[in-house]
Structure formats: C-alpha cells, structure tokens
Amino acid sequence: MATPSFQRLGTSIDVPNVQALAASIANPADVPPRYVRPEAKADPVVSDGDSELPVIDFSRLLHRRFSREESAKLHHACADWGFFQLINHGVPDQAMEKMKADIVEFFKLPLEQKKAFAQLPNSLEGYGQIFVVSDDQELDWADIMYLITRPLQSRNIDLWPAQPLTFRDSLSCYSMELKGVAGTLLEVMAKNLGVAPEEFSTIFQDQPQGVRINYYPPCPRADEVLGISPHTDGSGLTLLLQVNDVVGLQIRKGGNWFPVKPLPGALIANIGDIIEILSNGVYKSVEHRAIINAKKERHSIATFHGPREDLMVGPLSEIVKECKPKYVSMSYKEFMKTYFSAKLEGRSLMESLKL
C-alpha cells in the first residue's frame, strides 16, 4: 500500500499520513499492524452516567456573590479529577465557530497543500506528527498541526496555514480569547492553593501558549486503534475545544476510562504536569487518551498554557512549608526536552519525577 509519509520530530523516521492512509483502506485487514493497539479495548470503560465530569461556571467565578462557592468547586475539580467542563467562559461564539470551520476546511485540503506547512526536522511546529521516537513504535491514528501562538514574537507565521484564507486571523483571535480565560483560571487556582496570584503571574509571565489541532479519521477497526496514546499534558493548563459532535476524549480515574461528552459551547479544561509539580501533587495531571470512531471523523483543538522558559519547575515553597516536596526540581527547558523526546506512556514521566 503506497502512502505519503512525513519526517517526524527529531528523527529520520517516516510514517504514513494517517488521513491518506485511512482513505486508502478497503477492508479492516488493511490497517497496518503498527496501528493495531490491543490495549485499546483491554482496559474497562465506565458506562454512560456512571460518573460526571465537574462543571465550572466561569461567570460565577467573576461574580462577587458566587465566586467563593464556585472557587471551592474549582478547587475540588482540580484536586479530585484534574479535569472539568468550563461553561459561560465568555469566548464569543463567533470566535469559536470560525476556528472550528477553518479547522475542518484545512483538513479537507489536498495532501500536497497541507504538506506545505509540514514540520521541519527537529521542530515541533507544523503539520504532521510528534512523539515518534523509533522505527518499530506503535503509532497513533491521527494527524496533527502544532503551532506556537504566544508570545507573539515566537509565532512562525510561515507554518500557519494560508488556506482557508481566514485561518490565521481565526487562530489569532481564538488564542487571544483563551489567554484571558486561562489567566483568570490560573489566578483563582493560585488563591485556592494559598499562593499569591502575583507569583503565578510571574511563573506564567506572558502566558506562553501553543495549540495542537487534531484530526482523527474514521477506522474500520476503531476499537483496536488509538487516536492519541494515554498521556498527561506537559503544560500548566490545557483548554480543549471539540470541533464536531463525535466524542473521543477519555480520562483515567480509579483505574477505569471515563468518556467525556462535552456540553454545548463548553471548553474542557485539564491540569498539566507543571501545575501538579508546582502544587506538590495537590492538583492532579490526569492520564487521558483519544479513541476513534468507526464511521465518523473527529476534530479538536487543544490550547496549552505553559510557564516562562527560564522557570525552575518544582514544588512551591508556600505549599511545602509543612510537608516534604514530592517531586524533583528541574529547569522547564530540561523538563520539556524530556517530555518531547519520549513516546507517550501514561504517567511514566511524572512518576519518574517523584522523590
């Protein structure tokens, strides 16, 4: 089966473009062995209604009358779940709908047009794939576009799709809206942790931000492949927008996988590794994965908010005054180098950082 391929991050490894691969499959037996993942259906998945992801009303966080109650709900969500749905977040519907429409249109483009924005060797940014570190590694059933959106001077506009024509403006507007939402959430989290909001403002100075736009083609062996392998996010805070109504995100809680069904207009927020370490484990960076639909494609856009580049990542002194640090301290650059140089393997990196 002849399929297009890309050079993956930091390697000379070529793997097929999954969108083209999916379109070429005539029967289930044609799915290449490297994509078949027996563990995809080995772990139990909870039935609908067994658990509900916490829902946080952003507007109540901003309201003097309700902010204390909603802040307590946010604290519980971050400490117990590490995930929550964010409603009434104030991001204009137009900004979200334009972003959604442009994502769908980009992945409809012919492969050659998309390859104009392909990742360069040893670079995260662009169209292709990441976390492929060996020639015999099992692969995820997805293609992605990763772009740095903040700080503004770090943008590589040459890798931002020029088609559809509105893509660049849509992404710039959307990323700015999410910057405001993330900034407020980080401020409330700091207060909940007993940390001065000004310290979090310094840690997340200029709010470095990147987006990963995900495309998951349908697969006839959907229960035997994975869109994204189980992992935690190497960011501080992630905000995910579901582009269409095909569900696929699952989070691990209590040894089971829990499917997330986004509420209309909601953002799915989750704690990243950096905040778990800063909070000394009070807030949880929870393992999650993406599954595939047998008949329908799925799109999403994850926006990652990280700390400033020169940060020394470790438990904050205010939090470990009366307890021992649970994690090693290391530079953020070293942390990210380690994060992106390994394949996705659940919480293995976080566990390795524990004292």
Side-chain angles (χ1 to χ4, degrees):
M1 184 191 311
T3 55
S5 61
F6 289 105
Q7 189 176 62
R8 299 320 197 200
L9 174 63
T11 74
S12 58
I13 300 167
D14 286 337
V15 299
N17 168 261
V18 179
Q19 188 173 9
L21 176 60
S24 71
I25 291 177
N27 62 71
D30 289 339
V31 176
R34 287 182 69 187
Y35 290 94
V36 178
R37 311 286 293 277
E39 72 272 21
K41 57 183 178 181
D43 295 327
V45 178
V46 300
S47 302
D48 291 348
D50 282 3
S51 299
E52 291 186 4
L53 202 63
V55 177
I56 303 300
D57 188 331
F58 188 79
S59 66
R60 288 171 63 94
L61 289 174
L62 303 177
H63 197 292
R64 182 177 299 177
R65 180 178 177 185
F66 304 113
S67 61
R68 181 174 296 182
E69 177 186 351
E70 206 66 21
S71 293
K73 288 175 60 179
L74 175 62
H75 181 68
H76 172 75
C78 295
D80 187 46
W81 284 82
F83 267 82
F84 56 91
Q85 301 214 45
L86 190 67
I87 62 172
N88 297 326
H89 42 65
V91 179
D93 290 344
Q94 183 181 19
M96 293 194 298
E97 294 306 315
K98 286 179 64 178
M99 190 73 261
K100 289 179 182 180
D102 284 344
I103 288 171
V104 172
E105 290 304 310
F106 171 76
F107 282 102
K108 286 182 179 178
L109 293 174
L111 179 60
E112 289 304 314
Q113 286 186 247
K114 293 195 288 285
K115 286 174 67 176
F117 307 100
Q119 293 167 341
L120 300 175
N122 300 307
S123 173
L124 288 175
E125 283 197 271
Y127 173 63
Q129 193 50 269
I130 53 178
F131 299 109
V132 181
V133 297
S134 70
D135 287 304
D136 58 357
Q137 181 181 326
E138 296 171 323
L139 300 173
D140 290 339
W141 194 260
D143 288 319
I144 65 115
M145 166 74 77
Y146 182 82
L147 298 168
I148 293 173
T149 47
R150 290 190 58 82
L152 301 183
Q153 63 269 24
S154 295
R155 293 179 176 181
N156 185 350
I157 293 297
D158 289 341
L159 289 175
W160 289 37
Q163 295 289 335
L165 294 175
T166 54
F167 187 100
R168 293 176 177 177
D169 285 342
S170 295
L171 180 56
S172 184
C173 176
Y174 178 76
S175 69
M176 184 61 67
E177 293 288 348
L178 262 62
K179 169 186 177 290
V181 174
T184 299
L185 289 174
L186 290 169
E187 180 180 345
V188 177
M189 289 176 188
K191 292 178 181 177
N192 284 340
L193 289 166
V195 176
E198 296 78 17
E199 181 161 1
F200 255 36
S201 295
T202 300
I203 290 171
F204 294 95
Q205 185 176 352
D206 295 328
Q207 282 183 242
Q209 183 193 70
V211 299
R212 188 185 68 223
I213 302 170
N214 309 299
Y215 175 76
Y216 306 103
C219 180
R221 297 170 68 178
D223 63 343
E224 297 182 65
V225 299
L226 287 172
I228 293 184
S229 299
H231 67 286
T232 59
D233 290 346
S235 60
L237 176 68
T238 304
L239 297 173
L240 178 80
L241 177 64
Q242 178 89 6
V243 172
N244 55 11
D245 60 0
V246 179
V247 298
L249 174 64
Q250 295 183 340
I251 66 175
R252 191 191 285 274
K253 181 174 172 61
N256 295 326
W257 288 104
F258 168 62
V260 177
K261 293 186 176 180
L263 297 171
L267 295 168
I268 307 298
N270 68 277
I271 299 299
D273 297 343
I274 300 302
I275 287 184
E276 176 172 330
I277 295 171
L278 294 173
S279 71
N280 203 37
V282 176
Y283 286 174
K284 306 297 190 294
S285 180
V286 172
E287 189 176 351
H288 51 287
R289 68 181 185 180
I291 63 168
I292 298 300
N293 189 283
K295 297 181 179 180
K296 297 180 180 179
E297 64 186 9
R298 175 175 174 256
H299 307 78
S300 66
I301 175 171
T303 306
F304 306 101
H305 299 86
R308 66 176 197 268
E309 284 192 356
D310 63 346
L311 180 72
M312 180 62 68
V313 180
L316 294 174
S317 57
E318 297 96 319
I319 296 177
V320 295
K321 283 181 180 179
E322 299 180 2
C323 61
K324 292 183 178 180
K326 297 179 181 178
Y327 302 86
V328 301
S329 294
M330 63 192 306
S331 71
Y332 178 61
K333 286 185 177 180
E334 185 64 26
F335 174 86
M336 293 308 291
K337 180 181 178 181
T338 304
Y339 183 84
F340 282 110
S341 64
K343 65 179 182 178
L344 297 177
E345 285 188 306
R347 280 184 54 85
S348 58
L349 174 58
M350 288 299 290
E351 295 302 315
S352 73
L353 298 178
K354 287 186 175 180
L355 293 171

